[in-house]
Amino acid sequence: MELRFFEIYRNPEYLELLFRGAMTSAGLTALSGLLGFLAALLLAGARYRRMPVLRHVAAAYVEFIRNTPLIVQLFFVAFGLPLLLGYQWPFWGHAILALTLNFSAYFSEILRAGFTTVGEGQLEAARALGVRPLTAFRKIVLPQAIARMYPSLNSQFIFLFLTTGVMSEIGVRDLTEAGMYIDSRTFRSVEVFFTLTVIYILLSLVFKTVLALVQRWLFAWQVAR
C-alpha cells in the first residue's frame, strides 16, 4: 500500500483556501490590534490620571475581559449583543469587535504599567515650566511609556494572534476554519494541522518583523542608545 504525504498541496482549491484563510486571520488580527491599542490608550489614561468614575469603569471593564475566555466574549458579541441591541453584522464584523475588546483590555494593563515607569521628577519639571497636565501626559509620559513597553505589547499581540483561531466558531473563514474544512474532506489530519502550524509560525514571524521595523522607525532614539 502506497503511503503518500502532503496530498493537500496537490489540490489548488485547498491551497487557495489556506491562502485566503491566512490573509483573513492576519488582516482581522492587525485591524483589531490597532483598534484595541487605541482603545487601550483611553482605558489606561483614564486609570493613570485617576479620572472620577471613568477609572472605576475602566478597571471593571479590564477585569471582566481578562477574566473571561475569548471564545465566550466572541459568542456574546456575535449572538448576544445582536439580540439585545437589535442589529446584525457579518461574521467578520463581530470578530473584529470581539477581538478589539479583548486586545484593548490586555494592552491597557501593559500601557498603565508603562506610565508608572516615567519618573515623577519629569512631571514636576513640566509643571514648573507651566506645561499643562494633558500636554505633559501626551508629550512626556506617553512616548516614553510606549517605547519602554513596546516589547511587551509585541509579545502580547503575537500571543493574542495565536488565539484567534476561535473566530472559526462563529463562521469566519479564517485559517483554522480553512484547515478544518480541508480535514473534513480529506481526513488527512496530520498534514492539515502540520500545515496550519507552519503557517501560524510564519505569520507570527512576519508580524514580529513588521513590528520590529515599526519600533526602529518610531523609537529610533531608543534603539540607538
Side-chain angles (χ1 to χ4, degrees):
M1 179 179 177
E2 183 182 6
L3 184 61
R4 301 173 62 181
F5 290 94
F6 305 117
E7 290 292 323
I8 62 174
Y9 301 139
R10 303 173 187 270
N11 191 317
E13 178 189 358
Y14 296 157
L15 294 177
E16 183 179 359
L17 282 174
L18 289 172
F19 177 77
R20 289 184 177 180
M23 293 300 99
T24 298
S25 293
L28 293 182
T29 302
L31 179 58
S32 300
L34 177 60
L35 295 175
F37 176 76
L38 296 177
L41 288 176
L42 299 178
L43 292 170
R47 299 182 68 184
Y48 172 74
R49 292 181 57 81
R50 300 183 180 277
M51 297 180 177
V53 181
L54 287 181
R55 67 188 181 99
H56 296 295
V57 173
Y61 166 81
V62 170
E63 289 303 312
F64 174 78
I65 294 296
R66 295 179 67 203
N67 288 283
T68 54
L70 173 57
I71 192 169
V72 173
Q73 299 165 18
L74 187 64
F75 283 164
F76 178 75
V77 169
F79 305 116
L81 285 183
L83 291 177
L84 293 175
L85 304 179
Y87 72 92
Q88 184 61 47
W89 290 350
F91 293 137
W92 60 264
H94 295 303
I96 288 177
L97 178 57
L99 293 177
T100 297
L101 296 175
N102 188 268
F103 282 26
S104 65
Y106 287 93
F107 286 169
S108 70
E109 282 296 276
I110 296 174
L111 289 173
R112 189 168 69 92
F115 293 158
T116 61
T117 65
V118 179
E120 185 64 27
Q122 297 185 50
L123 298 178
E124 292 178 356
R127 285 194 292 268
L129 294 172
V131 179
R132 294 180 179 180
L134 184 59
T135 302
F137 174 78
R138 182 168 55 87
K139 294 191 174 183
I140 298 176
V141 177
L142 189 59
Q144 294 186 69
I146 294 177
R148 291 173 181 175
M149 304 309 293
Y150 195 84
S152 298
L153 290 170
N154 285 359
S155 298
Q156 189 65 52
F157 175 81
I158 297 299
F159 172 76
L160 293 174
F161 161 66
L162 296 176
T163 67
T164 57
V166 298
M167 291 190 294
S168 61
E169 297 296 326
I170 64 169
V172 177
R173 296 182 177 180
D174 68 335
L175 181 57
T176 299
E177 198 276 340
M180 297 295 291
Y181 175 86
I182 295 171
D183 182 49
S184 68
R185 297 299 188 275
T186 63
F187 302 102
R188 305 184 71 87
S189 301
V190 173
E191 289 181 29
V192 170
F193 292 106
F194 174 79
T195 301
L196 291 186
T197 300
V198 171
I199 295 176
Y200 272 113
I201 291 174
L202 292 176
L203 288 176
S204 296
L205 293 176
V206 170
F207 276 129
K208 286 183 178 180
T209 301
V210 172
L211 291 171
L213 293 175
V214 172
Q215 181 181 19
R216 293 184 65 87
W217 175 58
L218 289 178
F219 309 115
W221 52 272
Q222 184 189 50
V223 175
R225 288 192 303 178

